Amino acid sequence: MKNRILVFICLFFAVASYAQEGLKAGIQGGMPFDDFNDDVSLTLGVDVGYMWALGEVVDAGITMGFINGFPETFHSDIVREDLPHVQFVPLAASVRIWAGNSFSFGVDGGQALGINKDNEGGLYYRPQIGYLVDSNAELNLSYTAIELDGKTWTTLNIGLLYTFTF
């Protein structure tokens, strides 16, 4: 009986684990909240990175991207044309854990460089969950936070990620 359980567990992990190694490119859109809710209406971002499979279940890699926060143009019936775009270039390490053939969760963490005027950037972290909709395409939901001087950039995002394997 113990051998059967052991065989079943081994087969389960062999079938249920699926690492995604390769070059990754993605796009995400989101909505800000908290500190930037009145200044930014929507965000759009792109990411490029590479993941290495550390085993059947864990991937690790590096990523970089670009995030643009589009300024809020209407607020309380007053046109606000003078607000700037808020822009970052995140540079991060990535970890993904594959809980099954199609489901993963993980985090990107590093530094986001601010590229617009008076934006110094800050500590960047982005926890996310993903679901494979195809063998190389993933739909993901993420939370982005960038710890700035006195404020925190926070957004809730939905994105699509594609893995190129060579």
Side-chain angles (χ1 to χ4, degrees), residues 47-110:
D47 294 307
V48 176
Y50 195 88
M51 298 293 277
W52 292 273
L54 300 181
E56 293 292 318
V57 179
V58 179
D59 295 345
I62 55 173
T63 187
M64 71 173 292
F66 175 76
I67 300 170
N68 184 69
F70 294 95
E72 183 69 63
T73 54
F74 295 97
H75 183 68
S76 302
D77 299 326
I78 300 171
V79 177
R80 298 175 69 178
E81 296 179 19
D82 59 340
L83 291 175
H85 289 253
V86 180
Q87 300 172 330
F88 299 98
V89 174
L91 307 170
S94 299
V95 174
R96 298 290 179 276
I97 298 172
W98 290 89
N101 284 345
S102 299
F103 179 74
S104 70
F105 60 94
V107 66
D108 297 346

Side-chain angles (χ1 to χ4, degrees), residues 24-56:
K24 297 188 179 276
I27 186 167
Q28 79 262 353
M31 298 201 53
F33 55 97
D34 289 339
D35 293 337
F36 284 87
N37 193 34
D38 292 335
D39 299 335
V40 175
S41 60
L42 294 172
T43 65
L44 187 63
V46 294
D47 294 307
V48 176
Y50 195 88
M51 298 293 277
W52 292 273
L54 300 181
E56 293 292 318

Side-chain angles (χ1 to χ4, degrees), residues 98 102-105 128-132 138-141:
W98 290 89
S102 299
F103 179 74
S104 70
F105 60 94
Q128 54 189 294
I129 57 173
Y131 180 77
L132 284 177
E138 174 185 299
L139 184 64
N140 60 43
L141 182 65

